[in-house]
Amino acid sequence: MADVEKKDTVIIGAGPGGYVAAIRASELGQKVTLVEKSDTLGGVCLNVGCVPSKALIQAGHRLEQAKDGSTYGISTESAVIDFKKTQDWKQTKVVDRMTSGVKMLMKKHHVDVVNGEAVFLSDTQLRVMPTGEKQFMSTDTGQTFEYNNIIIASGSHPIEIPGFKFDGRVIDSTGGLNLPEIPKEFVVIGGGYVGTELAGAYASLGAHVTIIEGTKSILPNFEKDMVSVVLKKLKKKGVDVITNAMAKGSTQDDKSVSVTYAVDGKESTIKADYCMVTVGRRPNTDDLGLEYTKVKLNDHGQIEVDNQGRTASEHIWAVGDVVPGAALAHKAFAEAKTAAGAISGKKTANDWLSVPAVCFSDPEIATVGYSEAAAKDKGIKVKTAKFPFAGNARAVSLDAPDGFVRFIYTDDDNKNIVGAEAVGPEASTMAGELSIIVNDGLNVEDVALTIHPHPTLNEPIQETADIAMGFPTHI
């Protein structure tokens, strides 16, 4: 076995949590070693997740606009799409550019990147084995690290359900992003963030999409009136949404897949070109050797941590998809900076209340803080105020008047904003401002007095505050 190498800070995983932790740890004076089993950096998000999916969503929007500009008095020849070129653009101009940027950042911050799979030997030692066929051929293969601190940021993987083994025409979200052609018929099992986003994208690209969702609504983590705005647009795109449905099984040949599902015990079958399963993700904690450490896992396989990312072992930290909470890249960013700072003795701490949740549906959804129901469950007496995009000049000029902005604020003299929600055009761009409002504990008067430029899509934020103050302007 090779000699043990002494390391300062080791990080497992080069996704959003891992590479950001590496950058911040280096900035704080730590000598960092980053272990990644993939040939590319950036993790699921940059390679096969949130970034390439937004590229496909954008391509879908462009195609829709090219096909029909009649609202604006524009007539065009029938627009066509070369999907091979679309996929090439997504990969080379978006994904490759972003992942190469992460590689450059590692060099800039003098981070030592090691390619291999990591397995814990103890609370202070780690074995890194090379990936590929020679991985376990010799005890002399690989490296053993003894570290001062280690941050686990190993991410997550799609959940596979019975009857839908990921193979051939039954695919996960990675397969959904890399289809060789636009399917004529596309079945999506699971109407959460990923399923809804990609269903909308492929519908915009010309596919007929069917969403099969096990609960009573798609996007069950969002308020009903927000989801109804998204459903209206999905139906306009021709998407069929089947709720309270249990996926039972699939059969396939080299050209199609048949999906059987049941609603109230009655079975039905749909034939499609592809079936994409997006029912959630599981943390990558099973094969890390955590049983040889003091680290504790919950019933979902997630690592238990405190508000700095510290585990039950004083040397081991964890961030991102492997810890409780939503599997969001920006949450991982924040947790990574917190953990790296805590290792350097900074008084950092995570505040999960102000983490924005964003769905890049059509139209987009963004929420921060408490919903009205969640606030009441916490014993907070609240009121709500809502302003529709139909009253916003910029939204109307974009022919996108559907949706609204809503504040949840305390029912007292202070009127502190404890939650903010938006569904409408570019709601994702509002999430940062909404997060500041909730995170800084601003009240409705603070926001009402913040002058927003006209005409912009952010104006409804101020307009909603005006309504909460009792002085509505454009409604």
Side-chain angles (χ1 to χ4, degrees):
M1 184 175 287
D3 293 337
V4 175
E5 299 179 50
K6 302 285 186 179
K7 298 290 184 180
D8 183 15
T9 299
V10 176
I11 298 169
I12 301 175
Y19 81 75
V20 170
I23 292 170
R24 181 54 56 90
S26 177
E27 290 172 336
L28 294 173
Q30 300 167 40
K31 294 182 179 180
V32 182
T33 301
L34 178 62
V35 180
E36 170 56 49
K37 66 180 181 180
S38 174
D39 293 333
T40 58
L41 305 182
V44 168
C45 180
L46 285 188
N47 287 279
V48 292
C50 43
V51 172
S53 66
K54 305 310 168 287
L56 279 191
I57 289 170
Q58 176 64 10
H61 289 332
R62 287 293 185 94
L63 181 60
E64 283 184 321
Q65 292 165 0
K67 282 183 174 180
D68 184 11
S70 59
T71 297
Y72 308 102
I74 300 172
S75 298
T76 60
E77 295 290 334
S78 179
V80 296
I81 182 170
D82 184 334
F83 197 56
K84 183 177 180 181
K85 287 185 178 180
T86 303
Q87 289 286 32
D88 182 67
W89 163 75
K90 171 176 71 68
Q91 186 61 43
T92 61
K93 300 299 184 181
V94 180
V95 174
D96 292 349
R97 176 176 178 176
M98 299 305 295
T99 55
S100 63
V102 174
K103 185 176 180 180
M104 178 273 295
L105 288 170
M106 295 304 98
K107 290 182 178 179
K108 175 184 176 182
H109 290 89
H110 308 290
V111 174
D112 180 23
V113 179
V114 176
N115 183 242
E117 296 201 31
V119 179
F120 283 93
L121 302 177
S122 70
D123 286 300
T124 58
Q125 285 195 341
L126 185 78
R127 184 77 172 158
V128 179
M129 302 298 292
T131 57
E133 296 179 358
K134 297 181 179 180
Q135 183 175 7
F136 298 109
M137 290 182 64
S138 170
T139 55
D140 293 326
T141 303
Q143 302 165 272
T144 300
F145 299 152
E146 185 171 293
Y147 49 82
N148 294 326
N149 290 282
I150 190 167
I151 299 175
I152 302 171
S154 51
S156 61
H157 61 274
I159 293 174
E160 192 175 75
I161 60 176
F164 294 87
K165 179 178 174 58
F166 295 138
D167 182 51
R169 292 182 177 271
V170 177
I171 56 179
D172 59 11
S173 57
T174 299
L177 286 167
N178 293 293
L179 290 177
E181 70 274 333
I182 299 169
K184 292 181 180 179
E185 293 288 338
F186 191 41
V187 172
V188 177
I189 298 176
Y193 288 75
V194 177
T196 299
E197 288 183 4
L198 289 181
Y202 274 106
S204 296
L205 290 167
H208 175 257
V209 182
T210 301
I211 300 175
I212 298 174
E213 167 58 35
T215 68
K216 61 184 178 180
S217 173
I218 63 169
L219 301 173
N221 294 327
F222 293 107
E223 297 293 282
K224 291 180 181 179
D225 57 351
M226 304 179 78
V227 176
S228 67
V229 181
V230 176
L231 278 170
K232 178 182 176 182
K233 195 63 176 286
L234 284 174
K235 290 178 180 179
K236 186 176 181 180
K237 294 174 187 282
V239 176
D240 292 326
V241 179
I242 304 170
T243 56
N244 292 314
M246 177 66 67
K248 305 292 287 186
S250 63
T251 58
Q252 61 176 295
D253 54 32
D254 60 348
K255 293 184 178 180
S256 65
V257 57
S258 294
V259 176
T260 300
Y261 66 93
V263 178
D264 295 329
K266 182 181 180 181
E267 291 192 356
S268 300
T269 299
I270 302 176
K271 189 175 182 179
D273 299 296
Y274 294 94
C275 170
M276 183 179 69
V277 181
T278 56
V279 296
R281 302 182 66 85
R282 180 172 175 81
N284 294 328
T285 55
D286 291 341
D287 301 320
L288 290 176
L290 292 174
E291 62 270 24
Y292 300 112
T293 72
K294 297 177 184 176
V295 172
K296 296 180 180 179
L297 302 179
N298 65 18
D299 293 339
H300 301 288
Q302 298 164 322
I303 298 172
E304 295 181 357
V305 293
D306 65 11
N307 64 358
Q308 290 188 308
R310 184 186 289 103
T311 72
S313 171
E314 62 180 319
H315 301 281
I316 304 176
W317 310 69
V319 302
D321 289 6
V322 295
V323 304
L328 301 170
H330 47 277
K331 171 177 170 286
F333 289 160
E335 291 171 345
K337 295 172 184 177
T338 295
I343 289 171
S344 288
K346 303 292 184 181
K347 294 182 179 180
T348 57
N350 291 309
D351 175 17
W352 290 283
L353 177 63
S354 60
V355 175
V358 177
C359 181
F360 289 84
S361 49
D362 183 12
E364 297 173 351
I365 297 178
T367 66
V368 185
Y370 293 118
S371 65
E372 181 180 8
K376 290 179 178 178
D377 287 344
K378 290 286 185 180
I380 305 171
K381 192 176 181 181
V382 294
K383 287 185 175 180
T384 65
K386 182 168 72 173
F387 182 85
F389 276 102
N392 174 254
R394 181 62 173 157
V396 172
S397 69
L398 291 172
D399 191 32
D402 293 332
F404 55 84
V405 173
R406 177 164 53 211
F407 285 157
I408 297 91
Y409 59 95
T410 56
D411 184 11
D412 55 24
D413 292 339
N414 293 322
K415 295 187 177 181
N416 292 322
I417 300 169
V418 297
E421 301 168 338
V423 55
E426 298 185 25
S428 61
T429 62
M430 301 180 190
E433 182 177 352
L434 298 180
S435 183
I436 291 173
I437 289 169
V438 175
N439 189 56
D440 289 356
L442 302 185
N443 61 32
V444 295
E445 185 175 11
D446 294 326
V447 179
L449 292 174
T450 303
I451 300 173
H452 289 68
H454 177 77
T456 64
L457 292 172
N458 273 26
E459 282 182 280
I461 295 175
Q462 182 182 5
E463 299 270 16
T464 305
D466 284 342
I467 292 171
M469 288 286 292
F471 301 105
T473 304
H474 291 103
I475 189 174

